[in-house]
Short mmCIF file of all heavy atoms in Angstrom, two decimals:
data_model
loop_
_atom_site.label_atom_id
_atom_site.label_comp_id
_atom_site.label_asym_id
_atom_site.label_seq_id
_atom_site.Cartn_x
_atom_site.Cartn_y
_atom_site.Cartn_z
N THR A 218 200.77 259.66 228.38
CA THR A 218 201.87 260.64 228.58
C THR A 218 201.68 261.87 227.68
O THR A 218 201.35 261.78 226.52
CB THR A 218 203.22 259.99 228.26
OG1 THR A 218 203.34 258.78 228.97
CG2 THR A 218 204.37 260.91 228.62
N ILE A 219 201.89 263.03 228.30
CA ILE A 219 201.92 264.29 227.58
C ILE A 219 203.35 264.82 227.59
O ILE A 219 203.88 265.12 228.70
CB ILE A 219 200.97 265.32 228.15
CG1 ILE A 219 199.54 264.79 228.13
CG2 ILE A 219 201.02 266.65 227.39
CD1 ILE A 219 198.53 265.63 228.93
N TRP A 220 204.01 264.94 226.45
CA TRP A 220 205.35 265.44 226.34
C TRP A 220 205.25 266.95 226.10
O TRP A 220 205.05 267.39 224.98
CB TRP A 220 206.13 264.76 225.25
CG TRP A 220 206.21 263.26 225.38
CD1 TRP A 220 205.37 262.35 224.80
CD2 TRP A 220 207.16 262.54 226.16
NE1 TRP A 220 205.75 261.06 225.17
CE2 TRP A 220 206.85 261.16 225.99
CE3 TRP A 220 208.24 262.90 226.95
CZ2 TRP A 220 207.60 260.16 226.62
CZ3 TRP A 220 208.99 261.89 227.56
CH2 TRP A 220 208.67 260.54 227.39
N TYR A 221 205.46 267.73 227.14
CA TYR A 221 205.28 269.19 227.02
C TYR A 221 206.63 269.86 226.81
O TYR A 221 207.55 269.75 227.60
CB TYR A 221 204.64 269.74 228.32
CG TYR A 221 204.16 271.17 228.18
CD1 TYR A 221 202.84 271.45 227.79
CD2 TYR A 221 205.00 272.25 228.47
CE1 TYR A 221 202.38 272.75 227.70
CE2 TYR A 221 204.56 273.54 228.36
CZ TYR A 221 203.23 273.80 227.99
OH TYR A 221 202.78 275.10 227.89
N GLY A 222 206.74 270.54 225.66
CA GLY A 222 208.00 271.19 225.36
C GLY A 222 208.85 270.43 224.36
O GLY A 222 208.35 269.66 223.57
N THR A 223 210.16 270.63 224.45
CA THR A 223 211.10 270.05 223.49
C THR A 223 211.77 268.81 224.11
O THR A 223 212.47 268.90 225.13
CB THR A 223 212.20 271.07 223.14
OG1 THR A 223 211.55 272.25 222.62
CG2 THR A 223 213.15 270.50 222.12
N TRP A 224 211.54 267.68 223.42
CA TRP A 224 212.08 266.39 223.92
C TRP A 224 212.86 265.71 222.81
O TRP A 224 212.43 265.67 221.65
CB TRP A 224 210.94 265.49 224.38
CG TRP A 224 210.30 265.97 225.64
CD1 TRP A 224 209.22 266.82 225.73
CD2 TRP A 224 210.70 265.68 226.97
NE1 TRP A 224 208.91 267.04 227.06
CE2 TRP A 224 209.81 266.36 227.83
CE3 TRP A 224 211.73 264.89 227.53
CZ2 TRP A 224 209.91 266.29 229.21
CZ3 TRP A 224 211.83 264.82 228.89
CH2 TRP A 224 210.92 265.51 229.74
N LYS A 229 212.86 260.31 225.41
CA LYS A 229 211.60 259.62 225.47
C LYS A 229 211.78 258.10 225.62
O LYS A 229 211.06 257.43 226.35
CB LYS A 229 210.77 259.90 224.20
CG LYS A 229 210.25 261.32 224.08
CD LYS A 229 209.39 261.50 222.84
CE LYS A 229 208.80 262.89 222.77
NZ LYS A 229 207.92 263.06 221.57
N GLU A 276 199.98 258.76 223.69
CA GLU A 276 200.89 259.88 223.97
C GLU A 276 200.47 261.08 223.15
O GLU A 276 199.91 260.94 222.03
CB GLU A 276 202.32 259.50 223.59
CG GLU A 276 202.88 258.33 224.37
CD GLU A 276 204.33 258.05 224.03
OE1 GLU A 276 204.93 258.81 223.23
OE2 GLU A 276 204.90 257.06 224.54
N LYS A 277 200.74 262.24 223.70
CA LYS A 277 200.50 263.49 222.98
C LYS A 277 201.75 264.39 223.09
O LYS A 277 202.39 264.44 224.14
CB LYS A 277 199.31 264.25 223.53
CG LYS A 277 197.99 263.57 223.36
CD LYS A 277 197.49 263.57 221.91
CE LYS A 277 196.98 264.89 221.48
NZ LYS A 277 196.37 264.88 220.13
N ASN A 278 202.10 265.05 222.01
CA ASN A 278 203.24 265.95 221.99
C ASN A 278 202.70 267.39 222.02
O ASN A 278 201.83 267.77 221.24
CB ASN A 278 204.08 265.75 220.74
CG ASN A 278 204.80 264.41 220.74
OD1 ASN A 278 205.57 264.12 221.64
ND2 ASN A 278 204.53 263.58 219.75
N ASP A 279 203.25 268.16 222.95
CA ASP A 279 202.86 269.58 223.06
C ASP A 279 204.16 270.40 222.83
O ASP A 279 204.61 271.12 223.69
CB ASP A 279 202.28 269.85 224.42
CG ASP A 279 201.46 271.14 224.48
OD1 ASP A 279 201.82 272.08 223.71
OD2 ASP A 279 200.51 271.25 225.24
N ARG A 280 204.73 270.26 221.66
CA ARG A 280 206.04 270.81 221.37
C ARG A 280 206.02 272.33 221.18
O ARG A 280 207.08 272.96 221.16
CB ARG A 280 206.64 270.16 220.11
CG ARG A 280 205.85 270.33 218.85
CD ARG A 280 206.56 269.70 217.66
NE ARG A 280 206.67 268.25 217.82
CZ ARG A 280 205.79 267.38 217.37
NH1 ARG A 280 204.66 267.82 216.77
NH2 ARG A 280 205.96 266.10 217.50
N PHE A 281 204.83 272.92 221.05
CA PHE A 281 204.75 274.37 220.88
C PHE A 281 204.36 275.10 222.17
O PHE A 281 203.95 276.25 222.13
CB PHE A 281 203.77 274.68 219.74
CG PHE A 281 204.20 274.13 218.41
CD1 PHE A 281 203.46 273.12 217.78
CD2 PHE A 281 205.37 274.58 217.81
CE1 PHE A 281 203.89 272.61 216.55
CE2 PHE A 281 205.79 274.07 216.60
CZ PHE A 281 205.04 273.08 215.96
N TYR A 282 204.45 274.41 223.29
CA TYR A 282 204.21 275.02 224.61
C TYR A 282 202.85 275.75 224.63
O TYR A 282 202.77 276.94 224.78
CB TYR A 282 205.32 276.06 224.94
CG TYR A 282 206.74 275.51 224.79
CD1 TYR A 282 207.41 275.51 223.59
CD2 TYR A 282 207.42 275.02 225.92
CE1 TYR A 282 208.69 275.04 223.46
CE2 TYR A 282 208.71 274.55 225.80
CZ TYR A 282 209.35 274.56 224.59
OH TYR A 282 210.64 274.07 224.49
N SER A 283 201.79 274.95 224.48
CA SER A 283 200.46 275.52 224.31
C SER A 283 200.04 276.49 225.43
O SER A 283 199.22 277.39 225.23
CB SER A 283 199.42 274.40 224.19
OG SER A 283 199.37 273.63 225.38
N HIS A 284 200.58 276.31 226.63
CA HIS A 284 200.23 277.14 227.76
C HIS A 284 201.45 277.92 228.28
O HIS A 284 201.47 278.38 229.40
CB HIS A 284 199.62 276.32 228.88
CG HIS A 284 198.25 275.83 228.56
ND1 HIS A 284 197.98 274.89 227.58
CD2 HIS A 284 197.03 276.15 229.07
CE1 HIS A 284 196.71 274.63 227.53
NE2 HIS A 284 196.08 275.39 228.43
N GLY A 285 202.44 278.11 227.43
CA GLY A 285 203.61 278.88 227.77
C GLY A 285 204.67 278.05 228.47
O GLY A 285 204.56 276.85 228.64
N LEU A 288 204.25 277.39 234.08
CA LEU A 288 202.95 276.82 234.40
C LEU A 288 202.66 276.91 235.89
O LEU A 288 203.56 276.75 236.74
CB LEU A 288 202.90 275.34 233.98
CG LEU A 288 203.19 275.03 232.50
CD1 LEU A 288 203.22 273.52 232.31
CD2 LEU A 288 202.17 275.67 231.59
N SER A 292 197.17 275.51 235.88
CA SER A 292 197.33 275.49 234.42
C SER A 292 197.78 274.11 233.93
O SER A 292 197.53 273.76 232.76
CB SER A 292 198.30 276.58 233.95
OG SER A 292 199.61 276.35 234.39
N SER A 295 194.80 272.51 232.94
CA SER A 295 194.31 273.01 231.65
C SER A 295 195.06 272.37 230.47
O SER A 295 194.48 272.13 229.43
CB SER A 295 194.50 274.53 231.58
OG SER A 295 193.68 275.15 232.59
N VAL A 296 196.35 272.09 230.68
CA VAL A 296 197.11 271.37 229.68
C VAL A 296 196.53 270.00 229.45
O VAL A 296 196.33 269.53 228.31
CB VAL A 296 198.61 271.25 230.06
CG1 VAL A 296 199.36 270.38 229.05
CG2 VAL A 296 199.24 272.63 230.12
N ILE A 297 196.23 269.29 230.54
CA ILE A 297 195.63 267.98 230.44
C ILE A 297 194.30 268.05 229.71
O ILE A 297 193.99 267.23 228.85
CB ILE A 297 195.48 267.34 231.81
CG1 ILE A 297 196.85 267.09 232.44
CG2 ILE A 297 194.70 266.02 231.74
CD1 ILE A 297 196.84 266.65 233.89
N SER A 299 193.31 270.12 227.47
CA SER A 299 193.52 270.35 226.03
C SER A 299 193.86 269.08 225.28
O SER A 299 193.55 268.98 224.09
CB SER A 299 194.58 271.43 225.79
OG SER A 299 195.86 270.95 226.20
N HIS A 300 194.39 268.11 225.98
CA HIS A 300 194.80 266.84 225.29
C HIS A 300 193.78 265.74 225.47
O HIS A 300 193.74 264.79 224.67
CB HIS A 300 196.16 266.44 225.78
CG HIS A 300 197.27 267.37 225.36
ND1 HIS A 300 197.66 267.48 224.02
CD2 HIS A 300 197.99 268.27 226.03
CE1 HIS A 300 198.61 268.39 223.93
NE2 HIS A 300 198.83 268.88 225.09
N LEU A 319 202.12 264.23 232.90
CA LEU A 319 202.58 265.41 232.18
C LEU A 319 204.03 265.62 232.47
O LEU A 319 204.42 265.85 233.65
CB LEU A 319 201.75 266.63 232.60
CG LEU A 319 202.21 267.98 232.01
CD1 LEU A 319 202.06 267.99 230.51
CD2 LEU A 319 201.41 269.13 232.64
N LEU A 320 204.87 265.59 231.46
CA LEU A 320 206.31 265.73 231.60
C LEU A 320 206.75 267.01 230.90
O LEU A 320 206.48 267.20 229.72
CB LEU A 320 207.03 264.53 230.98
CG LEU A 320 206.61 263.14 231.53
CD1 LEU A 320 207.32 262.04 230.76
CD2 LEU A 320 206.89 263.05 233.01
N THR A 321 207.38 267.90 231.67
CA THR A 321 207.82 269.17 231.10
C THR A 321 209.31 269.15 230.81
O THR A 321 210.11 268.64 231.64
CB THR A 321 207.48 270.36 232.06
OG1 THR A 321 207.98 270.08 233.37
CG2 THR A 321 205.96 270.58 232.10
N SER A 322 209.71 269.72 229.71
CA SER A 322 211.10 269.72 229.30
C SER A 322 211.92 270.71 230.13
O SER A 322 211.39 271.49 230.92
CB SER A 322 211.23 270.05 227.80
OG SER A 322 210.63 271.28 227.48
N VAL A 325 211.11 274.54 230.81
CA VAL A 325 209.78 274.90 231.35
C VAL A 325 209.84 274.99 232.88
O VAL A 325 210.35 274.08 233.54
CB VAL A 325 208.70 273.87 230.93
CG1 VAL A 325 207.36 274.23 231.53
CG2 VAL A 325 208.60 273.81 229.41
#
Side-chain angles (χ1 to χ4, degrees):
T218 308
I219 300 169
W220 303 95
Y221 192 92
T223 303
W224 291 91
K229 291 183 176 181
E276 299 183 4
K277 294 289 285 186
N278 293 301
D279 198 329
R280 61 177 65 91
F281 297 115
Y282 308 86
S283 64
H284 289 67
L288 303 175
S292 66
S295 297
V296 174
I297 294 172
S299 67
H300 292 291
L319 175 63
L320 304 176
T321 51
S322 57
V325 177

